[in-house]
Amino acid sequence: QVQFVESGGGLVQPGGSLRLSCIISGRMFNIYTMGWYRQAPGTQRELVASITSTGSTTYADSVKGRFTIARDNAKNTGYLQMNSLKPEDTAIYYCKLIGSGIAWGRGTQVTVSS
């Protein structure tokens, strides 16, 4: 069964950094664009960054210049480096192979607070 396992979240002060990881089991990783999404309480899930199988990236305006998405196709792993974190970045973060139809994982909680 293919699934996503996100990790690396936690509590961090404003201005701090975190690095999220996402391991995706199965053989589909190299085919799809990978995205990192987040969902704060009372809001819809939003796409914050994506990276194609060949490494082209896109970012939401709210995270541009602060977040960096990366992937290691050999390890079936994706990453989201988050710097200069703000309280409004607080959310559960999820990874996804866009268009794959694979169910969402449990995500990892990121809390930015002093």
Side-chain angles (χ1 to χ4, degrees), residues 51-70:
I51 183 168
T52 68
S53 58
T54 55
S56 297
T57 59
T58 60
Y59 297 92
D61 288 343
S62 58
V63 307
K64 203 170 292 184
R66 300 188 298 120
F67 290 11
T68 303
I69 189 171

Side-chain angles (χ1 to χ4, degrees), residues 26-94:
R27 301 180 181 179
M28 305 175 66
F29 186 81
N30 293 357
I31 300 173
Y32 292 97
T33 294
M34 189 195 76
W36 280 97
Y37 295 74
R38 68 185 181 188
Q39 187 170 21
T43 69
Q44 290 189 335
R45 197 168 299 182
E46 63 170 343
L47 178 65
V48 296
S50 65
I51 183 168
T52 68
S53 58
T54 55
S56 297
T57 59
T58 60
Y59 297 92
D61 288 343
S62 58
V63 307
K64 203 170 292 184
R66 300 188 298 120
F67 290 11
T68 303
I69 189 171
R71 65 191 292 166
D72 185 335
N73 289 338
K75 295 182 178 180
N76 279 18
T77 302
Y79 306 96
L80 186 67
Q81 177 68 43
M82 306 187 296
N83 299 328
S84 302
L85 283 161
K86 304 175 180 180
E88 51 263 43
D89 295 318
T90 295
I92 300 175
Y93 284 72
Y94 304 86

Side-chain angles (χ1 to χ4, degrees), residues 4-6 92-94 103-109:
F4 305 104
V5 180
E6 301 94 343
I92 300 175
Y93 284 72
Y94 304 86
W104 294 95
R106 294 184 176 182
T108 185
Q109 175 71 50

